[in-house]
Amino acid sequence: MTLRLSPSLDAAALNPAFAARRRLHIPGVLEADSAEAVVAAMEAFDDWKVSVSAGGEFFELPLKGRMAAEPGKQGWIDGARVDGAEPRMQYIFDTRRLDLEPEDAPRDAVSAVLDFLNGPDFLAFVRAVTGDGRIDFADAQATRYRPGHVLTGHDDAAEGKNRLYAYVLNLTRDWRADWGGVLAFEGADGHIEEGFVPAFNALNLFAVPMRHAVTQVAGFAPRDRLSITGWLRSHQPV
């Protein structure tokens, strides 16, 4: 399947808004049919992995549906807890790493996202929005945040990764801020400067490094927070 940018996007008009804060929420980024196809494939996908770095535990386990594929490992997931006193980044969420999928893996609309992100149209778009011609490629993972899932504060800086910008392609329908899962940007004073609530068919784009977190999804949230996330990177050191 070929995914397409919305023809209504105007990168030149978005550039000043991005430049002002080095971050931007861009609604309606994909053509409607493309967005619908990707979210349908994400909702149908059954072989996620849960990724945990929390409370001194580090593991990634295959899931079948919402449970550990190996029944004996479910206790690992149930017992995973973030240590609130730990300053380092911690996280619990479900993942499908698109840039690590084998070439012979079955393809769906989610698989096509990696090709789309590295295609000439999208790369030209983000170069124009950011004003940065150094962007060479994107990596990507599909993420599913369920109740209790979280990503604590960090700034995405990683030596040798040549990360220029982080992105979140939102694919979550009808979300409310009080369900959590908000992409929250922290100011120098420790207050939240800005927060982007999960949305459907919207792109969040921000410079690296920039301190941020994904607030914990509430236990009463009635659906999952779905997105494609990753970084826009350069082949050259930055």
Side-chain angles (χ1 to χ4, degrees), residues 184-198:
F185 296 95
E186 182 181 329
D189 60 0
H191 290 290
I192 300 302
E193 285 187 339
E194 191 169 20
F196 296 155
V197 175

Side-chain angles (χ1 to χ4, degrees), residues 72-219:
K73 299 291 181 63
Q74 183 60 38
W76 293 20
I77 301 172
D78 294 340
R81 296 288 185 275
V82 167
D83 178 1
E86 171 59 63
R88 290 178 299 179
M89 178 183 68
Q90 299 176 80
Y91 54 81
I92 306 172
F93 59 83
D94 298 339
T95 181
R96 175 182 173 186
R97 299 184 187 280
L98 303 182
D99 47 352
L100 297 180
E101 290 190 324
E103 291 185 4
D104 58 352
R107 291 186 60 81
D108 59 11
V110 180
S111 308
V113 173
L114 186 62
D115 295 334
F116 164 76
L117 294 171
N118 286 283
D121 292 345
F122 182 78
L123 291 177
F125 173 72
V126 292
R127 287 169 186 150
V129 171
T130 61
D132 193 339
R134 298 175 298 165
I135 298 171
D136 291 321
F137 69 102
D139 55 23
Q141 65 174 320
T143 67
R144 181 177 70 175
Y145 283 69
R146 295 182 279 135
H149 286 184
V150 66
L151 173 62
T152 66
H154 63 289
D155 66 8
D156 279 347
E159 187 175 356
K161 295 291 188 179
N162 302 335
R163 295 171 176 172
L164 298 169
Y165 305 93
Y167 71 87
V168 181
L169 177 57
N170 290 266
L171 293 160
T172 306
R173 300 182 191 277
D174 304 321
W175 194 267
R176 288 184 358 201
D178 58 358
W179 295 347
V182 175
L183 177 59
F185 296 95
E186 182 181 329
D189 60 0
H191 290 290
I192 300 302
E193 285 187 339
E194 191 169 20
F196 296 155
V197 175
F200 181 66
N201 191 20
L203 181 71
N204 296 333
L205 184 63
F206 56 97
V208 175
M210 184 176 294
R211 190 164 176 83
H212 63 285
V214 176
T215 64
Q216 188 169 47
V217 176

